[in-house]
Amino acid sequence: MTELPKKEQLYELIRANPFISQQDLATQLGLSRSAVANYIATLVRERRILGRAYVLPDQRPILCIGASNLDRKLRTLDRLVLGTSNPASQDESFGGVARNIAENLARLGAPTALITAVGNDASGRALLAHAEDAGIDTRGALRLDGVASGAYTAVLDRDGEMVVALADMALNDRLNPAFLATRQQQRASAALVVADLNLPRDSIAALLDDSVRDGVPLVLVAVSEPKMARLPHNLLGLRLLILNEGELAVRVGRRLDSDAAIGAACVEVQRQGAQDVVVTRGARGVMYTSPTGVMRLDAPAVDVVDVTGAGDAFAAAVAWSLHSGSEGASEGADLGLACRRGLQLSALTIECEQTVCPALEPGQLDVPSAIPLNESVLD
């Protein structure tokens, strides 16, 4: 068999490991560094790779940035009584908004990468190993010595509804603009960036600026009402903001006691620079912006087992849908389809015990759910 030309051998090595160094390429191929650099420049001109980090055009991932942590869920066995001890069952799993979104995406078959911060402890090593086993690229993760990995503890009532949650997320403050700058090439090479508001405010601002500069769409996912303070006032560069009613009320600084008030708040956030807004409303479905106005979409009826992770599943399905695209559809129709898929995956997650449904597989969202979802335009 005829040996491949050196340029093709180099290309195959890059396909196998997009982060391989030029020195390793030179050593494996018996070439000088300058010869390797010339071959790489040729491949870039041919658009077979996309610049530094050798990202291949057909492998541009959805890049998730934000929290990874160990989830502990305590579920009462009887009616919850405050101020005293309650018998409960305990479950431990891997969590964190960005990590959960990334795992859902990977299970759906999307190329997925994760930039997160973990301690160099048993929990951090287990978090990254689990993510890698799921098919998530974690090479951009920040590993810190002498720091405990993040932890999230939720207390659920016997019906699976969350009563209270406690989160130790201080580790994510280390995902600051200076660190993100070291991953700039990875971010610029992504097809879509999805970040959670566990990031510092300055980091969110930097991601917005980079979205404008690099043209990579940015989706931001709110995580709690207190952390809405991390969202800059100027949202120019934001493709989509996903948040719940309480978080939207914090953003606009007033109570939202009607659909009309929520719709007006969505339009206000658009005036601040966001292209679109999706408001999740639990069992009442979602509201989202479109060229024809703010739309309402009902949620399907579900048998609640555990609501943990449902919002992250929704965000993942929306990101997957935006990444996949919808041939011949307008942007508004695309977001409507994305929200339908989000509700479909959220329902699937609510009906299983795990934070990320283990039954999820590639192709699951390709076919619309048979469950009818009522949709209407806000008057």
Side-chain angles (χ1 to χ4, degrees):
M1 181 181 295
T2 304
E3 187 178 61
L4 288 173
K6 290 293 187 181
K7 185 179 77 170
E8 297 306 316
Q9 292 182 47
L10 181 143
Y11 180 71
E12 292 304 321
L13 288 173
I14 288 172
R15 284 190 66 88
N17 177 13
F19 289 88
I20 190 171
S21 70
Q22 289 193 11
Q23 184 57 59
D24 286 341
L25 288 168
T27 300
Q28 293 189 43
L29 295 174
L31 297 171
S32 66
R33 284 281 301 275
S34 61
V36 167
N38 287 336
Y39 281 131
I40 289 171
T42 300
L43 290 169
V44 170
R45 287 194 299 271
E46 294 172 350
R47 300 296 292 170
R48 296 175 68 189
I49 61 176
L50 306 181
R52 288 182 57 198
Y54 322 130
V55 178
L56 305 167
D58 60 346
Q59 295 179 346
R60 296 180 66 195
I62 301 175
L63 176 60
C64 301
I65 307 177
S68 294
N69 48 260
L70 200 62
D71 273 359
R72 294 181 179 89
K73 291 184 283 188
L74 293 167
R75 182 168 178 167
T76 61
L77 302 180
D78 205 339
R79 184 178 63 86
L80 180 66
V81 180
L82 298 179
T84 188
S85 177
N86 291 263
S89 60
Q90 178 180 241
D91 179 61
E92 190 171 271
S93 61
F94 301 112
V97 173
R99 194 220 68 87
N100 290 347
I101 292 172
E103 184 180 347
N104 276 286
L105 287 167
R107 289 183 179 275
L108 286 169
T112 307
L114 176 65
I115 292 178
T116 191
V118 296
N120 192 14
D121 54 11
S123 295
R125 289 189 291 272
L127 278 161
L128 294 184
H130 181 268
E132 290 160 6
D133 287 344
I136 301 167
D137 181 354
T138 66
R139 288 173 290 182
L142 174 62
R143 300 162 175 83
L144 295 165
D145 291 328
V147 178
S149 295
Y152 171 89
T153 301
V155 177
L156 313 176
D157 64 22
R158 61 184 176 183
D159 297 320
E161 295 290 343
M162 185 176 72
V163 178
V164 67
L166 303 172
D168 177 5
M169 300 293 185
L171 189 70
N172 296 294
D173 290 339
R174 304 287 286 272
L175 297 172
N176 54 38
F179 169 74
L180 291 180
T182 68
R183 303 296 191 266
Q184 193 279 329
Q185 185 59 42
Q186 185 182 14
R187 293 186 290 113
S189 300
L192 177 71
V193 173
V194 182
D196 69 40
L197 292 189
N198 286 303
L199 297 175
R201 181 184 173 94
D202 288 348
S203 297
I204 298 295
L207 292 177
L208 288 165
D209 290 342
D210 289 351
S211 178
V212 174
R213 182 191 65 208
D214 299 329
V216 178
L218 174 65
V219 176
L220 291 179
V221 182
V223 298
S224 68
E225 293 181 20
K227 289 190 176 177
M228 288 301 295
R230 300 190 173 199
L231 190 64
H233 177 74
N234 184 358
L235 300 179
L236 185 64
L238 183 57
R239 170 63 185 90
L240 177 64
L241 175 64
I242 302 175
L243 73 178
N244 64 30
E245 293 174 89
E247 291 156 352
L248 180 60
V250 170
R251 176 64 181 183
V252 298
R254 61 180 182 272
R255 288 184 58 191
L256 303 176
D257 52 8
S258 67
D259 287 0
I262 293 171
C266 289
V267 173
E268 183 176 332
V269 172
Q270 285 183 300
R271 288 199 295 266
Q272 295 166 0
Q275 181 177 335
D276 279 304
V277 181
V278 172
V279 183
T280 59
R281 311 170 75 201
R284 292 183 293 129
V286 300
M287 295 174 64
Y288 67 92
T289 54
S290 78
T292 58
V294 178
M295 307 291 292
R296 291 176 294 211
L297 186 61
D298 290 344
V302 295
D303 294 323
V304 176
V305 174
D306 187 342
V307 299
T308 308
D312 302 337
F314 176 88
V318 169
W320 179 89
S321 193
L322 294 178
H323 174 260
S324 300
S326 180
E327 187 175 354
S330 68
E331 287 187 353
D334 282 346
L335 187 54
L337 176 60
C339 287
R340 286 176 174 272
R341 287 167 166 162
L343 290 172
Q344 180 183 346
L345 184 54
S346 180
L348 185 68
T349 304
I350 290 171
E351 292 181 331
C352 77
E353 295 181 351
Q354 292 81 4
T355 302
V356 177
C357 184
L360 189 59
E361 58 186 19
Q364 193 142 352
L365 298 183
D366 291 342
V367 180
S369 171
I371 302 172
L373 300 177
N374 296 322
E375 189 170 35
S376 60
V377 181
L378 185 65
D379 296 330

